Amino acid sequence: MSNTPQQERREREKPEELPSREVTEGTERAPHRAMFRAMGYDDEDLASPMVGVANPAADVTPCNVHLGEVADSAIEGIDDAEGMPIEFGTITISDAISMGTEGMKASLISREVIADSVELVAFGERMDALVTVAGCDKNLPGMMMAAIRTDLPSVFLYGGSIMPGEHQGREVTIQNVFEGVGAVSSGEMSEDELDELEREACPGAGSCGGMFTANTMASISEAIGLAPLGSAGPPAESDERHEVAREAGEIALDCVENDRTPSEILSKESFENAIAVQVAMGGSTNAVLHLLAMAAEAGVDLGIEEFDEISRRTPKIANLQPGGTRVMKDLNDQGGVPVVIRRLLEAGHVHGDAMTVTGRTIAEELSHLEEEGAIPDDEAVDADFIYTTQEPYQEEGAIKILTGNLAPDGAVLKVTGDDKFHHEGPARVFEGEEAAMKYVQEGYIESGDVIVIRNEGPRGGPGMREMLGVTAAVVGQGHEDDVALLTDGRFSGATRGPMIGHVAPEAAAGGPIALLEEGDTVTVDISDRTLSVDLSEEELDSRRDRWETPSPAYENGVLAKYGATFGSAANGAVTNPGVKREANEQ
């Protein structure tokens, strides 16, 4: 006589270490199984590892509008590998749409909410593994932080990049539209042309196309080992993107079988690899913030100064937007991020023995891709925008960490132009982004100015707004090389020019940026890595004695809650109470 389904299920009991046994095994869990059966799960599902698919699909941004279909492909992969897929949702904020508004204060907070919400669902539902899907900027670190925090077998899955638009015979992205606003205000572009440009820049679904924050963090997900090599490059609306998603689902089950968790993958070397790729590709300054936060979650000792140390010894070998003209789709056509990693590995700039989510090391994974014909021979790579380490685009990486009497705990700059830049000029001080934007748009900006935007830090904002609107307006008016800008807030990955962010300590914590006055002489020196004001310590101390802590910008709601718990940008602006919080005790 054949076994009943119940007997077959009992014979296929899950390994004892899987958390989902707590809700699927035993007579006392019959009510729990009844709930699962109401959703269409059967005995075979209930006897399989439970894999959560965290999906921030939403209609609020093109970065995420297609993620339902991407998640479906991941679910197919989980099913094929005999797992039990459980999809659940979380939030997203569109950085590009909230940019330049008070709503941008929600952006960094969304990173924390995503990490918290995915952790809560995985913990509360006793999941065995995760596939974390991501589209817009803060989705990526939020999902990786959640995977690290839960330490479940996890695979990171990027939703893919948007295709470039075409305007007057050239490829364009959202960066061109933001800079077009500044060009209109200076008379360099007509409103009609800007209207045409806005209709052509974003042709469909996917994250912003240049080496902005989303593509930077997607590239880092490969380099750090949480995503398979080659998974960041395929465009959002491509068959290849769905192949990547199906593979992610399959790998998740392999991770369960081999107990391959983030803590088994991540190491100090993994983070050093991630930084090397960031600086070699001209990646977003936001990656400094996010990698510090991820390292804090992983218990890896990583300091902001290490970004500068690695950047000094790692050449920039990819020339992509915002500094260059090419986009992620172009890089994918040449073999994607693995081509960059291979060149860095051959030159000794990355650790080949660092582990990846596939169970192979970085070096082994590259060899595997070469054997599969998934990446071209090195000689076949287009040298027009992907350079060699012997003849790099720039001798040093793109990220610079500046310190000095204006930024004792550090500030972050991405070089998109002259890496020997030296600038000295009068401070034009603004208490927030809006006042600075008005100053720039009304044409008051002058060559030599140093625009200072403060009280935009993690606590002071709160939420550390990105300021692509202001920086793009400065560049759009022709001041990319003769005006500097510094802030305790952040910049978009699309920002270019001498724009210094993450100034720490922030103004709200009494950092020196809070003590600046109109007309103070500020010096930015990239070669010396200094950010300073021509004031004596005695004068700074005198101003500090007169300074008063500002009242919180919000007294209730989510902005008040997270604003009160953010740590310093020098440590990743984390809110998790269990990790390193401050560079210096305030």
Side-chain angles (χ1 to χ4, degrees), residues 217-274:
M217 293 307 299
S219 301
I220 280 172
S221 73
E222 293 188 29
I224 207 167
L226 295 177
L229 288 191
S231 62
E237 296 181 307
S238 69
D239 292 340
E240 193 179 358
R241 172 52 51 197
H242 291 277
E243 292 170 10
V244 166
R246 280 187 286 274
E247 182 187 17
E250 294 168 359
I251 292 173
L253 271 298
D254 183 67
C255 288
V256 172
E257 183 175 347
N258 291 282
D259 195 26
R260 191 179 307 122
T261 64
S263 63
E264 296 294 320
I265 295 167
L266 297 177
S267 63
K268 184 61 175 285
E269 289 73 23
S270 303
F271 282 90
E272 290 176 350
N273 286 351

Side-chain angles (χ1 to χ4, degrees), residues 177-240:
V177 186
F178 274 100
E179 292 180 4
V181 174
V184 168
S185 68
S186 65
E188 296 297 315
M189 179 184 288
S190 69
E191 290 187 11
D192 286 344
E193 184 180 345
L194 179 61
D195 180 74
E196 183 182 337
L197 176 60
E198 81 168 65
R199 296 173 189 277
E200 296 171 340
C202 300
S207 301
C208 299
M211 192 46 58
F212 310 150
T213 302
N215 281 325
T216 298
M217 293 307 299
S219 301
I220 280 172
S221 73
E222 293 188 29
I224 207 167
L226 295 177
L229 288 191
S231 62
E237 296 181 307
S238 69
D239 292 340
E240 193 179 358

Side-chain angles (χ1 to χ4, degrees), residues 33 36 106 111 126 162 171 186 224 240 248 279 318 333 335 343 373 428 438 442 451 462 533 549 576:
R33 291 192 295 272
F36 282 117
R111 182 190 76 176
R126 317 312 291 152
I162 195 172
E171 288 188 348
S186 65
I224 207 167
E240 193 179 358
V279 303
D333 289 345
R343 290 188 173 180
R428 306 300 180 207
K438 181 179 180 182
E442 292 182 354
I451 299 172
V533 59
T549 303
N576 185 351

Side-chain angles (χ1 to χ4, degrees), residues 3 13 34 71 80 139 141 143 216 235 284 372 390 412 443 479 565 585:
N3 288 342
E13 284 189 346
D80 290 345
N139 297 180
M143 289 295 184
T216 298
S284 169
E372 295 288 315
Q390 295 78 24
V412 184
H479 291 291
T565 55
E585 291 296 329

